[in-house]
Amino acid sequence: MVLVVETTQNLIEIRQNEKASIAFVPTMGNLHQGHLSLLREALTKFEVVYFSIFVNPKQFGPKEDFNRYPRTLVDDLNLIKSLDAEFTTKKIIVFAPKNPEEIYPPGFNHSISVLGDVSNILEGSIRHGHFDGVATVVHRLFELIKPQEAYFGLKDYQQFLVIKHMVKDLALPIIITGMPIIREDSGLALSSRNQYLSSEERTEALTLSKTIWRIEKIINRKKENLPKAQEEIINILKDEKWNYLEIRDADTLNQDLSQSKRVTLLAVYQLRSTRLLDNLQVTIS
Ligand code: PAF
C-alpha cells in the first residue's frame, strides 16, 4: 500500500499511530534505480517504510541548480507503486511536502552546523554550507519520522559520512545504512543530474568511472602501490575538468593513509555546469 502525505501535520498524526518499527529513505525525487534500490532494501527488512521527496533549498548555493532541479512527482509515484506491487503486504508512506514551509515553517530559525574536516574538504570546500543544509533537513526529517534505520546511496559518499557522524555525535538512535552505487551498463553512476548532459557529454562522462577503475587497478589492494596511484592522479588532474580526484581514508577522509585499511577514491568531473560525482572503496593491506 502506498500512502502519499503532503503536510507535516498529517505526517505527525500518521507516525504517532504507527506501532511497527520503521525504515526511512530520504530523497529529492526524480527517482531512478539507485533510489529504488534503497527502497527495495528497506522493504525487504521492514513492514513500514517512510520515503521522502523534497528538494531541499538549504543545501543549494545561490548559483546552484535549485530552480532547475528536476521535479517529477507523478513519475516518481509511479515508480514507487511499481515496487509496491512486488511487496504487497508492506506499507510505503511517501512524504512529499507540498511546499518548503512544511519543512521550514515561517520563523524556522535553526540549523545543524557540521564542524570539522569531513564537512570542509572536497564537496564542502567547493559547496560552502552544503552539508549544513543536508544535515539540517535530514535531522528535521529524522525528528518527524523517528525511523529505526535510514538508507542513503553511497554515490554521495561524503554525505553518507556526514550523516553517520551527525547520528553518532547527537546520539540519535538510528542505524545509517549505505547502499552501493547503481551504474548504467556503460559504467556511468546513476544520478538525477545526468539528464543535464548532451549525448556527447554522456560519452565524455565515462572518463570518470573509467579513471577511478584505472586507479583502483594501480592500487591493486596494496598499500605499497599508493604512491604510484598518487603519481598517476597528478597527471590526470592536468585536465581542468576534474574538480578533484583524491585518495582518502574511507572512514575518516584523512589524507594520511599510513594506518588505513580501507581507502576511498573520490572524484568530481565537470562538464559545463554539471558536476558528476563518483567514488570507489578499496580494501588495502
Ligand atoms: O542525497 C539526497 O538526495 C539529499 O542530499 C538528501 C539526503 C535527501 C537530503 O536532502
Side-chain angles (χ1 to χ4, degrees):
M1 181 198 98
V2 180
L3 183 68
V4 182
V5 178
E6 289 187 333
T7 67
T8 298
Q9 189 51 40
N10 213 345
L11 178 78
I12 291 170
E13 280 162 21
I14 290 168
R15 179 64 186 99
Q16 270 168 354
N17 292 322
E18 196 66 71
K19 301 280 176 291
S21 57
I22 63 159
F24 175 43
V25 180
T27 79
M28 297 206 299
N30 193 239
L31 304 181
H32 51 63
Q33 290 303 322
H35 300 108
L36 294 190
S37 73
L38 311 186
L39 180 55
R40 186 171 280 117
E41 181 69 13
L43 286 167
T44 305
K45 278 175 71 180
F46 288 81
E47 295 304 309
V48 183
V49 178
Y50 282 59
F51 188 101
S52 66
I53 297 179
F54 177 61
V55 184
N56 171 34
K58 288 194 190 289
Q59 69 188 75
F60 290 79
K63 296 202 177 109
E64 293 184 10
D65 56 345
F66 175 69
N67 285 328
R68 76 165 173 151
Y69 197 86
R71 288 149 170 96
T72 52
L73 186 59
V74 173
D75 291 346
D76 292 349
L77 292 177
N78 283 333
L79 279 174
I80 292 171
K81 282 177 191 152
S82 71
L83 253 193
D84 181 53
E86 274 178 47
F87 291 88
T88 44
T89 62
K90 309 271 170 128
K91 200 157 92 186
I92 307 171
I93 313 288
V94 179
F95 179 42
K98 62 179 176 352
N99 61 50
E101 285 78 45
E102 293 296 332
I103 299 288
Y104 306 118
F108 183 92
N109 211 8
H110 282 80
S111 165
I112 301 280
S113 288
V114 187
L115 307 175
D117 282 353
V118 171
S119 68
N120 295 329
I121 53 174
L122 303 161
E123 283 307 280
S125 71
I126 296 172
R127 303 183 70 188
H128 298 285
H130 169 67
F131 287 123
D132 289 359
V134 170
T136 300
V137 78
V138 171
H139 185 266
R140 178 108 177 96
L141 291 165
F142 281 177
E143 283 299 308
L144 292 169
I145 293 168
K146 302 191 192 318
Q148 272 69 46
E149 186 160 354
Y151 294 82
F152 291 82
L154 289 179
K155 192 174 86 57
D156 295 303
Y157 191 75
Q158 194 176 357
Q159 165 175 284
F160 168 71
L161 290 184
V162 164
I163 299 298
K164 266 188 101 94
H165 283 222
M166 176 181 82
V167 163
K168 182 164 175 272
D169 288 354
L170 302 182
L172 306 178
I174 302 169
I175 297 166
I176 302 299
T177 299
M179 294 295 294
I181 295 177
I182 305 290
R183 297 177 184 279
E184 292 181 357
D185 290 344
S186 66
L188 184 65
L190 295 193
S191 163
S192 300
R193 290 187 169 102
N194 289 351
Q195 62 194 267
Y196 299 152
L197 302 174
S198 67
S199 62
E200 294 83 53
E201 285 168 341
R202 264 182 173 269
T203 310
E204 204 185 337
L206 303 184
T207 308
L208 180 55
S209 52
K210 282 187 182 147
T211 303
I212 57 172
W213 286 331
R214 196 165 91 229
I215 303 292
E216 180 194 26
K217 252 196 182 141
I218 296 175
I219 299 173
N220 195 20
R221 296 173 168 263
K222 295 195 177 72
K223 203 172 249 187
E224 71 206 41
N225 291 334
L226 288 172
K228 219 176 2 166
Q230 302 280 19
E231 260 173 50
E232 180 64 11
I233 287 176
I234 291 171
N235 270 326
I236 292 166
L237 289 177
K238 286 179 187 152
D239 174 354
E240 288 181 354
K241 288 187 180 136
W242 293 95
N243 283 188
Y244 56 78
L245 168 60
E246 295 197 22
I247 309 177
R248 299 225 175 206
D249 182 89
D251 298 314
T252 61
L253 296 188
N254 280 344
Q255 272 175 312
D256 175 3
L257 305 177
S258 52
Q259 305 303 318
S260 299
K261 295 193 164 38
R262 219 164 55 97
V263 295
T264 179
L265 306 179
L266 293 154
V268 173
Y269 193 69
Q270 184 160 350
L271 292 169
R272 283 183 299 138
S273 59
T274 306
R275 303 177 66 249
L276 299 169
L277 280 74
D278 208 339
N279 67 76
L280 184 72
Q281 288 70 55
V282 190
T283 306
I284 51 170
S285 55

